[in-house]
Amino acid sequence: MNALLAVALNTYREAIRNRVLYVLALFATLLLFAGGFLTQVSFNHEKRVYLDSAAALIDLFSAFLAMGTGVNLIYKELQNKTVYLILTKPISRTRFLAGKLLGLWAVMWVLTISMGILAAGGSAILGVGGLAALSRQVVLSSFQALVLLSISLLFSSFTTPVLTGAFTFGMFLIGRFVPDLHAILHRKFQPDLARDTADRLLDMLPQLHLFAVSGHELQGRYVSIAADFVSWRYVGITSVYSLLYVLLVMALASWMFRRRDLV
Amino acid sequence: MSVLPLKVENVYKSFHAGLFSGRVEILHGITFSLNPGEIFGLLGRNGAGKTTTLKTIVGLLTPDSGTVSIFGMSPSSVQARRLLGFLPEHPYFYGYLTGREFLEMAAALHGMGSREASRRADELLETVNMTHAADKPLRKYSKGMLQRIGLAQAIVGAPQLIVLDEPLSGLDPVGRRELKEVVLSLKKQGRTVLFSSHILPDVEEMCDRVGIVEQGTLTLVESVDTLLERGTQRTEVELIGDCSKLINHFNKLSFVKRAGATVVTLPRDGDVQGLIAAAIKHGCHISGVKPYRKTLEELLLEAPSGVSEQEDASRKEDTQ
Ligand SMILES: Nc1ncnc2c1ncn2[C@@H]1O[C@H](COP(=O)(O)OP(=O)(O)O)[C@@H](O)[C@H]1O
Ligand SMILES: [Mg+2]
């Protein structure tokens, strides 16, 4: 077996053997709670509310799980000094990071797909449909998770876990509100060099708003998971964007990590 | 000409002392090298810089200046690490893996396919006597058991250079004996072993050469034989019967009565042959001849910059 895959498999095992089941249980409970609550709501709104909340849950859960496991697992790897055993074996630090990312991403796929299946089950019980839209949301959320994982790896490669957590969460928040931030800039400031620079900077951040589209305007069109959701084509383009972005982030992470003293 | 398994040249290493303070230099120009097939012991009190030296050698730390080469290659190269095995001090493991899974992963990191990896894991579990606990998660292992798994993962890739940081600490006497046997068998296979320790009798038993680290400087590199030979100080000859004539004949030597016998102590370069011949001639029975050799521990404690008394006490505790 390839050394990179060995790291990926081990990372996957660690995450799966640790906490995934508890998280899923929590998610299922929340979903059931939502479903139970919804039976009280008038029938017309039920479909929209149910699918909206399921999509939001998948989206936010996967984002927080990605940040949580990303920060936590690398932190543990460095803090517990298990890296001493791994990085003195014939594997480059770059491949080690890539293996970590792959393993964690595999976990995220398992999680988002499980959440998708639970959500679809709820939707079948309520008879509200929306399966295709839900599966597109699952794919979007998995790629958002990938971006967040790579960002947590980047920060972990040179700073402390606490700062990694804070920076990753900061990137998440800003990334989700890039269009709003652009709008604010354009409302409050005259067009000048400073504003242009700020615009460019915002564009360089991870465009995480692309992954949570339900309930937002997209190219002048109102998008809703219950009615008029994004196409597979959109999902494909967004996925390619995340892969390219992640490649850049990982190149940077690897460059930093190769220089790091493992004390 | 073959390249040396390890060459450490003038290595300096410093760490940040704190967020706003400068750097503190820990290693001040360490230089030494290992010959193929030898066992080298790095000795020194706690905080002397042994671990820092070893971590620099295995590529976890980058020296500020100076170079480390493993068979002529930088430890940061994957090629060099193919030939390297490392057991950290207080090794940490993935608690959720079983001993077997962990060794399989270690084998996979050496590029073995899954079947080969599991065969290798079985073999190593046997070597370190851990087959009985192979399928228990590592978090349930005792410290001694972890140390054995740690040794197994260090030799998983059949490395030519094995670096062990305090491999004997935390082991019971049986574990120590077994570890020593594994290390000696590695030597028989022509592997080179570098390890740090503060348990001197073990070092004396295993090492070909030792190096002493004090405050980040290598103060002495010497073969164990030379050290011990220098420590051969005196020979005691024990006699029974009437030795008055002999005593008169050798009036420059000191004879003492001990437990019904007469004991004479000869200096390091004393004429043991001559004394024995004379004793026989004068009708004394020789009941014993005993050379007195200082242990490595005594020799090192005697060194002018030796270990403080407090350290000495804690070391004795460790040794027991
Ligand atoms: N990461 C680090 N940051 C600052 N000081 C360190 C660090 N690691 C080790 N030291 C200091 O370096 C010295 C040598 O430590 P070490 O190499 O662990 O010694 P030994 O293994 O001989 O006991 C000690 O004084 C220790 O406090
Ligand atoms: Mg140490």
Side-chain angles (χ1 to χ4, degrees):
Chain A
M1 195 179 9
N2 186 314
L4 188 154
L5 288 181
V7 171
L9 174 67
N10 184 45
T11 308
Y12 178 82
R13 270 186 184 151
E14 173 170 21
I16 287 291
R17 288 186 191 177
N18 268 341
R19 55 185 75 77
V20 168
L21 292 177
Y22 308 102
V23 171
L24 274 187
L26 182 64
F27 178 76
T29 322
L30 274 175
L31 211 63
L32 284 177
F33 176 77
F37 169 76
L38 284 169
T39 50
Q40 318 289 322
V41 181
S42 80
F43 185 74
N44 272 347
H45 289 147
E46 195 171 301
K47 179 181 178 188
R48 195 179 61 74
V49 174
Y50 176 79
L51 285 176
D52 270 351
S53 51
L57 276 174
I58 292 173
D59 166 44
L60 289 177
F61 255 78
S62 60
F64 281 98
L65 282 171
M67 290 189 277
T69 45
V71 173
N72 185 34
L73 288 197
I74 298 289
Y75 162 74
K76 280 209 314 218
E77 189 91 52
L78 294 176
Q79 195 67 21
N80 293 345
K81 308 193 160 97
T82 41
V83 273
Y84 290 0
L85 300 174
I86 306 301
L87 290 177
T88 50
K89 299 263 184 320
I91 179 172
S92 70
R93 293 195 181 184
T94 304
R95 278 166 171 258
F96 168 78
L97 284 184
K100 279 264 143 201
L101 183 71
L102 273 187
L104 289 169
W105 197 30
V107 175
M108 292 314 301
W109 272 106
V110 169
L111 282 173
T112 46
I113 289 175
S114 313
M115 291 190 283
I117 289 173
L118 280 172
S123 139
I125 291 168
L126 295 170
V128 294
L131 281 189
L134 273 176
S135 48
R136 272 171 258 168
Q137 181 60 54
V138 164
V139 175
L140 283 176
S141 293
S142 301
F143 276 91
Q144 172 178 249
L146 176 66
V147 174
L148 288 170
L149 286 172
S150 71
I151 289 170
S152 69
L153 279 176
L154 170 62
F155 288 124
S156 302
S157 68
F158 67 92
T159 185
T160 63
V162 175
L163 288 180
T164 298
F167 289 153
T168 309
F169 185 64
M171 290 288 251
F172 170 69
L173 278 187
I174 299 176
R176 296 283 287 226
F177 292 105
V178 168
D180 310 75
L181 294 170
H182 274 306
I184 293 172
L185 276 177
H186 287 240
R187 204 166 347 109
K188 295 245 155 117
F189 298 98
Q190 297 303 313
D192 60 7
L193 186 67
R195 199 184 84 175
D196 278 358
T197 313
D199 276 335
R200 289 297 139 289
L201 281 177
L202 279 175
D203 289 339
M204 277 160 60
L205 294 176
Q207 307 292 306
L208 297 176
H209 56 95
L210 295 175
F211 302 96
V213 279
S214 188
H216 294 275
E217 291 255 332
L218 194 70
Q219 291 159 346
R221 180 169 74 94
Y222 182 78
V223 176
S224 159
I225 189 156
D228 188 13
F229 199 50
V230 289
S231 61
W232 278 114
R233 188 181 139 75
Y234 174 88
V235 174
I237 292 170
T238 313
S239 308
V240 170
Y241 161 77
S242 17
L243 288 177
L244 293 176
Y245 197 83
V246 165
L247 225 54
L248 272 176
V249 172
M250 290 305 282
L252 200 56
S254 141
W255 187 75
M256 308 285 265
F257 193 52
R258 280 203 305 266
R259 272 150 194 79
R260 180 175 177 150
D261 268 345
L262 299 169
V263 291
Chain B
M1 192 208 89
S2 67
V3 269
L4 292 175
L6 175 68
K7 220 166 155 187
V8 179
E9 279 174 303
N10 220 10
V11 163
Y12 285 81
K13 181 69 197 170
S14 57
F15 290 117
H16 276 292
L19 199 52
F20 299 108
S21 29
R23 295 176 78 91
V24 187
E25 194 172 274
I26 302 293
L27 301 181
H28 319 288
I30 300 267
T31 301
F32 71 108
S33 56
L34 298 194
N35 302 313
E38 79 172 333
I39 303 183
F40 190 101
L42 211 51
L43 310 177
R45 64 180 96 175
N46 293 330
K50 303 181 294 294
T51 297
T52 307
T53 305
L54 296 185
K55 279 164 74 177
T56 309
I57 288 171
V58 300
L60 292 170
L61 304 177
T62 314
D64 298 349
S65 66
T67 55
V68 174
S69 74
I70 294 175
F71 292 99
M73 295 172 280
S74 156
S76 66
S77 81
V78 170
Q79 286 301 340
R81 281 186 262 129
R82 271 188 226 296
L83 305 172
L84 176 73
F86 177 54
L87 171 65
E89 188 178 21
H90 320 299
Y92 291 85
F93 297 91
Y94 302 98
Y96 53 91
L97 292 182
T98 67
R100 175 175 283 126
E101 284 171 337
F102 177 65
L103 291 180
E104 282 171 358
M105 174 177 75
L109 288 171
H110 273 279
M112 292 179 211
S114 58
R115 191 174 310 161
E116 196 188 353
S118 77
R119 196 186 46 77
R120 183 73 182 134
D122 285 341
E123 203 173 281
L124 285 168
L125 286 163
E126 194 97 351
T127 309
V128 298
N129 271 325
M130 287 300 296
T131 310
H132 64 283
D135 296 311
K136 272 210 270 185
L138 291 168
R139 83 181 98 84
K140 294 193 178 151
Y141 279 33
S142 72
K143 187 160 189 272
M145 290 161 85
L146 288 175
Q147 198 76 358
R148 286 159 191 248
I149 292 290
L151 178 68
Q153 64 79 35
I155 58 179
V156 66
Q160 292 300 314
L161 172 65
I162 298 118
V163 178
L164 311 167
D165 197 355
E166 305 273 358
L168 295 157
S169 71
L171 289 180
D172 57 22
V174 179
R176 272 190 212 172
R177 162 88 358 247
E178 286 171 359
L179 186 129
K180 280 185 233 169
E181 271 159 21
V182 173
V183 170
L184 290 171
S185 79
L186 288 170
K187 180 187 160 71
K188 275 206 199 97
Q189 297 160 27
R191 315 288 174 73
T192 309
V193 181
L194 167 63
F195 74 97
S196 75
S197 181
H198 59 268
I199 304 175
L200 289 164
D202 293 325
V203 172
E204 187 178 328
E205 215 174 310
M206 288 158 65
C207 290
D208 300 308
R209 285 194 302 152
V210 294
I212 317 261
V213 187
E214 283 178 82
Q215 293 173 13
T217 313
L218 201 58
T219 52
L220 174 86
V221 176
E222 189 73 89
S223 92
V224 172
D225 284 347
T226 313
L227 268 178
L228 290 179
E229 193 184 303
R230 194 186 301 156
T232 310
Q233 302 170 298
R234 57 198 161 104
T235 309
E236 280 185 7
V237 180
E238 201 180 78
L239 309 156
I240 4 185
D242 177 14
C243 298
S244 46
K245 281 188 192 155
L246 185 72
I247 294 173
N248 283 338
H249 194 267
F250 285 95
N251 53 13
K252 287 216 182 84
L253 295 175
S254 73
F255 290 79
V256 290
K257 289 270 176 203
R258 191 193 292 162
T262 306
V263 178
V264 57
T265 304
L266 289 160
R268 182 170 140 80
D269 49 0
D271 179 12
V272 181
Q273 290 287 359
L275 181 90
I276 290 174
I280 294 170
K281 204 174 99 191
H282 290 100
C284 306
H285 286 280
I286 297 156
S287 58
V289 178
K290 225 195 242 172
Y292 266 86
R293 193 173 285 150
K294 289 195 175 178
T295 61
L296 193 55
E297 184 154 4
E298 286 170 318
L299 284 168
L300 295 178
L301 288 176
E302 258 171 21
S305 46
V307 182
S308 72
E309 277 176 25
Q310 195 189 343
E311 274 271 325
D312 187 25
S314 71
R315 169 173 301 185
K316 288 234 168 73
E317 259 164 46
D318 281 343
T319 322
Q320 277 156 13

